[in-house]
Amino acid sequence: MDFEFRDTPKLAEFRKEVRAWLDLHIPMDFEIPDNPHDILPGSTKYEFILKARRALGAKGWLASTWPKEYGGGGLSFEEAAVVESEVVKRPWSRFGVGDFFPSTITTFGAQLLNLGTEEQKKRWLPSILRGEIIRWQAYSEPDAGSDIAAIKTTALRDGDDYIVNGTKVFLGTQYDNADYFSLIAITDPKAPRRRNVGLFFVPTNLQGISKAWLPLMRNCHSSGWQIFFDNVRVPVEYLIGGHENATNAWRSMRETAVHGANRPIVIPIRDRGQEFVLDYVSKTKRDGQLLSQDPDVRDALVETEIQLEVRRIFALRQDWMTIADKRLEGYEGPQSAVYGKVAEEEQANAYFDILGPAVLMKDPEWALYEGNMEYQHFVPVAMASAGMTQEVSKMLLARSACKVGD
Ligand SMILES: Cc1cc2nc3c(=O)[nH]c(=O)nc-3n(C[C@H](O)[C@H](O)[C@H](O)COP(=O)(O)OP(=O)(O)OC[C@H]3O[C@@H](n4cnc5c(N)ncnc54)[C@H](O)[C@@H]3O)c2cc1C
């Protein structure tokens, strides 16, 4: 399989155009803090992110391979890879890709594209792809995380509505408000497990919805909201795929988990931790010698650099398979997820070994890189479970490799 590519003269020309456009909208000298906590609503940086995201969206570049009729860019895989590889070079946070290519598109948008009725796609996809809608994923429950089929939230048909009751956990961040939830709930309690759930797109302002903050680990990426649905009336038009497909959510969740089916390209990786460490070792002496000359430090940094490159290639392969090759089955998606989660943790440990306990500090006197190393250190812990835990990713990898179903 040949998924890596070199610029043809036409692509090289396109790359120049993309760079010129990005220079205007996301200049190279623009930096945003690494810790999303520092990007507060109303601040210049926050407004800039929204503006830049919408500018990319208006261009069709938040989902550059998707059909133009729904607000996508209609580009080929190669052109889209050019766009994204240029976008990720812009100086923004490690989560910059997420900030600009939100999961509202990469996960829910893909589900809507695959499952939605024509009317639903036309109604919501264009504003989602323009980056105008923020949605939170309402899947996990107090007793249903990895075993998502154990959810208890119900959505029972009553005339032209579904009545939703239940509790969802670990949603969103404290600095943002969602316009919609993508919600899974049991629509047919008599149907067998996994064949009984529907996927809804629920406006967050419906009567009967309330929330409570869950202060878990520090940093917003490891906390979230608990959302309560108390006899919430959700009109049937918000059920993705329509009532005939009321119990079709499982397939789309699995597809998203296994291969991110039809997601727009998401190529990492500009790793801020690695950038900080490289900067630090090139300036800091220990025992009279620059750290960059220490063989152990050099070994560790070569290892982390290789891990970053493997992750980039895995992601490129995954995108190539789903977009260019249209191949949706395979172990490659879970392999990329498992490798990414494990590598992130190993990287954080390597940085700790090199920099020492200062990576655990946030206070101005001891912290490194304005406390950003602390953020870099804890995020992998949270991300090890986000979406699915490491163990469950491994299970999915084994099942995909052995072609075992659900
Ligand atoms: C940063 C972050 C953001 C999140 N954002 C969202 C969000 O926006 N929306 C949302 O709905 N959810 C969100 N989640 C929740 C996330 O999807 C769940 O944490 C995840 O599915 C794991 O569920 P759990 O936490 O209940 O752990 P559990 O499922 O209870 O797992 C506990 C432990 O048991 C292990 N385990 C469970 N089952 C098996 C098995 N079959 N075999 C081997 N080991 C197993 C797990 O690996 C883990 O170590 C988020 C989580 C995090 C950390």
Side-chain angles (χ1 to χ4, degrees), residues 137-140 145-146 169-172 221 382 385-387 389 391-392 395:
Q137 179 171 293
Y139 284 10
S140 306
S146 301
V169 288
F170 306 138
L171 276 75
H221 276 282
S385 302
T389 65
E391 292 79 7
V392 173
M395 203 164 59

Side-chain angles (χ1 to χ4, degrees), residues 90-380:
R90 301 282 134 172
W92 50 39
S93 77
R94 179 161 171 275
F95 281 90
V97 174
D99 290 333
F100 288 88
F101 297 92
S103 70
T104 299
I105 297 177
T106 54
T107 55
F108 178 69
Q111 290 173 320
L112 182 55
L113 186 69
N114 287 343
L115 281 184
T117 62
E118 202 47 38
E119 198 188 336
Q120 289 171 332
K121 287 193 248 191
K122 292 213 163 101
R123 179 172 173 190
W124 290 311
L125 270 177
S127 38
I128 288 176
L129 300 197
R130 282 195 302 268
E132 292 167 359
I133 288 179
I134 295 177
R135 122 356 299 194
W136 288 348
Q137 179 171 293
Y139 284 10
S140 306
E141 296 187 3
D143 294 317
S146 301
D147 185 11
I148 197 70
I151 59 165
K152 295 198 179 82
T153 298
T154 50
L156 302 180
R157 185 77 191 252
D158 182 44
D160 288 339
D161 299 327
Y162 282 88
I163 313 263
V164 178
N165 279 293
T167 302
K168 297 290 177 176
V169 288
F170 306 138
L171 276 75
T173 64
Q174 70 186 45
Y175 71 104
D176 241 342
N177 277 321
D179 308 297
Y180 288 87
F181 299 117
S182 60
L183 167 87
I184 53 160
I186 294 173
T187 42
D188 182 356
K190 294 200 190 98
R193 236 169 94 93
R194 303 195 187 98
R195 307 279 173 256
N196 56 355
V197 283
L199 173 68
F200 293 84
F201 196 43
V202 178
T204 49
N205 60 2
L206 294 184
Q207 208 173 5
I209 298 177
S210 57
K211 64 182 183 180
W213 179 242
L214 279 172
L216 305 176
M217 261 176 54
R218 287 207 310 121
N219 294 323
C220 61
H221 276 282
S222 42
S223 301
W225 292 98
Q226 186 165 14
I227 309 286
F228 306 99
F229 294 84
D230 183 9
N231 285 318
V232 178
R233 278 196 171 268
V234 179
V236 66
E237 71 211 55
Y238 292 101
L239 176 66
I240 301 305
H243 185 64
E244 313 71 54
N245 293 308
T247 56
N248 63 6
W250 191 262
R251 177 175 63 85
S252 97
M253 283 195 299
R254 191 171 194 282
E255 276 179 359
T256 314
V258 173
H259 24 246
N262 281 353
R263 69 173 184 185
I265 288 188
V266 181
I267 305 173
I269 281 161
R270 179 175 188 260
D271 190 275
R272 296 287 279 166
Q274 184 85 344
E275 286 174 14
F276 290 140
V277 179
L278 288 173
D279 180 66
Y280 185 86
V281 300
S282 66
K283 290 180 183 154
T284 311
K285 285 188 173 174
R286 204 173 281 162
D287 299 330
Q289 169 184 265
L290 273 177
L291 276 175
S292 57
Q293 302 305 312
D294 180 318
D296 289 340
V297 169
R298 292 163 80 104
D299 270 2
L301 288 178
V302 165
E303 193 58 44
T304 51
E305 194 62 40
I306 290 171
Q307 286 175 326
L308 287 170
E309 184 59 8
V310 171
R311 287 170 64 196
R312 189 188 72 79
I313 293 172
F314 274 171
L316 196 58
R317 176 184 63 176
Q318 185 61 15
D319 290 329
W320 178 85
M321 278 177 62
T322 52
I323 295 167
D325 195 43
K326 309 279 179 225
R327 191 145 43 88
L328 299 183
E329 288 304 326
Y331 61 87
E332 290 87 348
Q335 182 187 42
S336 175
V338 172
Y339 186 85
K341 283 171 188 280
V342 174
E344 275 206 334
E345 273 188 8
E346 289 179 359
Q347 270 172 252
N349 289 334
Y351 300 155
F352 179 84
D353 287 344
I354 296 169
L355 302 176
V359 302
L360 305 177
M361 305 286 186
K362 186 106 181 97
D363 70 275
E365 191 182 348
W366 296 101
L368 290 174
Y369 297 92
E370 293 163 11
N372 280 318
M373 278 320 292
E374 187 242 30
Y375 180 69
Q376 303 289 339
H377 192 76
F378 285 114
V379 161

Side-chain angles (χ1 to χ4, degrees), residues 3-19:
F3 50 84
E4 186 68 282
F5 61 89
R6 307 218 180 285
D7 282 1
T8 58
K10 210 168 148 213
L11 281 178
E13 203 45 47
F14 181 58
R15 190 178 289 280
K16 271 195 220 151
E17 280 171 38
V18 173
R19 276 189 196 149

